[in-house]
Amino acid sequence: MNKGLIAIVSFFLTAIILIVGVSVVNATTALKAAKQPATVQEASISNEEVLIQQMNEREAAYQQLITEANTRIETLNNQLTANQSTAAEVQMVSLLAPDQAVNIALAAVEDDDALTQLPELVNYEGRQAYEVKMTNGVLYIDAETGVILFNNVPERINGEQAAEIVGVYLGGMDPRYAVVTKTILNGTEIYKVVFNNYTVFVDPYGEVVSAQVYRYISDDNNNDSTGSSSSSSSDDHDDDHDEHEEDDDDDD
């Protein structure tokens, strides 16, 4: 009887242990199953946050690039506007017409100077200027103001100036005692300046063309005098000066 009871009790105890064991296993499995989705969910949430952060960083970088590009475009537009304004101001500056430059040049030279070619617009020392070529030289006229920037056309002299030039040429003679007339030499009108025994020819621009020295030789036998003359060009005027001094000594 006791053995049967013991067997029944052992059976029940084994059954209870099995049931408890199965329950524990099921509970453990259920707990693991319950924990696993939470971990996956947490991992999924963490990845989403990383992706969102990366997207936000990229968006910020794009916005910065767009801002820099807009700033550069605005700077270039401002520069372009400034350049266009400067070009418009330059174009608004009115230049003289070529015929106006010619009139200015002709008014600054003598009547016998003539235009040899049409004026050309050039750069003269950083300024826009007309280059006007004349018979005896060239002029540069400011294309904006009409001011003569350069003029190497020689000026004509008058009779008084011719006398002064010859006076210096002959060693310091007083021009008040000169007799000045005009004559033609090789088709050009020049000045004839006479000082006592000296006759000097001067071109319209103050250059000595030639000089003549007259000497009077007395004839004791016939009690009269005859005259002789010698001439020289401007290249020999130094020798003429020496002769002039010798003649002065003879007169003394």
Side-chain angles (χ1 to χ4, degrees):
M1 193 66 185
N2 290 334
K3 291 182 180 179
L5 183 59
I6 293 172
I8 293 171
V9 171
S10 298
F11 175 78
F12 280 108
L13 289 174
T14 302
I16 292 170
I17 292 171
L18 289 174
I19 291 170
V20 171
V22 171
S23 299
V24 170
V25 170
N26 290 335
T28 302
T29 303
L31 181 61
K32 290 182 177 180
K35 289 182 177 181
Q36 186 173 0
T39 303
V40 172
Q41 185 176 4
E42 291 178 357
S44 175
I45 293 173
S46 178
N47 290 335
E48 289 179 359
E49 291 178 351
V50 171
L51 290 175
I52 291 172
Q53 183 178 0
Q54 291 178 350
M55 290 177 65
N56 290 335
E57 291 175 354
R58 291 179 181 177
E59 181 68 19
Y62 292 152
Q63 292 297 331
Q64 184 177 359
L65 291 175
I66 292 173
T67 302
E68 292 177 355
N70 290 333
T71 302
R72 292 179 181 177
I73 291 173
E74 184 177 0
T75 301
L76 292 175
N77 286 333
N78 293 335
Q79 292 178 352
L80 180 60
T81 302
N83 293 336
Q84 289 176 347
S85 300
T86 303
E89 292 176 358
V90 171
Q91 291 178 354
M92 290 178 61
V93 177
S94 59
L95 300 180
L96 296 175
D99 58 342
Q100 291 176 300
V102 171
N103 292 334
I104 294 173
L106 291 176
V109 300
E110 301 297 334
D111 294 338
D112 63 340
D113 276 301
L115 188 69
T116 60
Q117 66 180 49
L118 293 176
E120 293 183 5
L121 190 62
V122 298
N123 184 302
Y124 181 80
E125 296 183 353
R127 299 185 63 87
Q128 293 188 90
Y130 281 107
E131 182 184 59
V132 185
K133 293 185 178 180
M134 309 297 293
T135 305
N136 298 306
V138 62
L139 296 89
Y140 289 93
I141 300 173
D142 193 306
E144 297 179 12
T145 63
V147 174
I148 297 176
L149 303 175
F150 176 81
N151 179 8
N152 69 350
V153 177
E155 296 183 0
R156 280 179 169 269
I157 62 172
N158 55 32
E160 293 180 357
Q161 292 172 320
E164 292 175 357
I165 292 170
V166 173
V168 174
Y169 176 81
L170 295 177
M173 289 189 173
D174 192 339
R176 293 178 298 177
Y177 300 106
V179 177
V180 181
T181 57
K182 289 184 177 181
T183 185
I184 303 297
L185 178 65
N186 297 328
T188 303
E189 187 178 64
I190 63 174
Y191 289 101
K192 177 182 179 181
V193 184
V194 178
F195 274 101
N196 296 329
N197 299 335
Y198 307 106
T199 300
V200 181
F201 297 92
V202 182
D203 72 8
Y205 303 105
E207 293 292 331
V208 174
V209 177
S210 64
Q212 295 177 348
V213 180
Y214 290 91
R215 294 184 178 88
Y216 292 92
I217 303 173
S218 61
D219 189 351
D220 294 336
N221 296 328
N222 298 327
N223 293 324
D224 59 1
S225 61
T226 59
S228 65
S229 66
S230 63
S231 64
S232 65
S233 64
S234 59
D235 295 335
D236 301 328
H237 69 272
D238 292 336
D239 295 336
D240 290 341
H241 290 169
D242 296 338
E243 291 178 1
H244 300 161
E245 293 175 358
E246 292 176 0
D247 291 341
D248 292 340
D249 293 339
D250 292 340
D251 293 339
D252 293 340

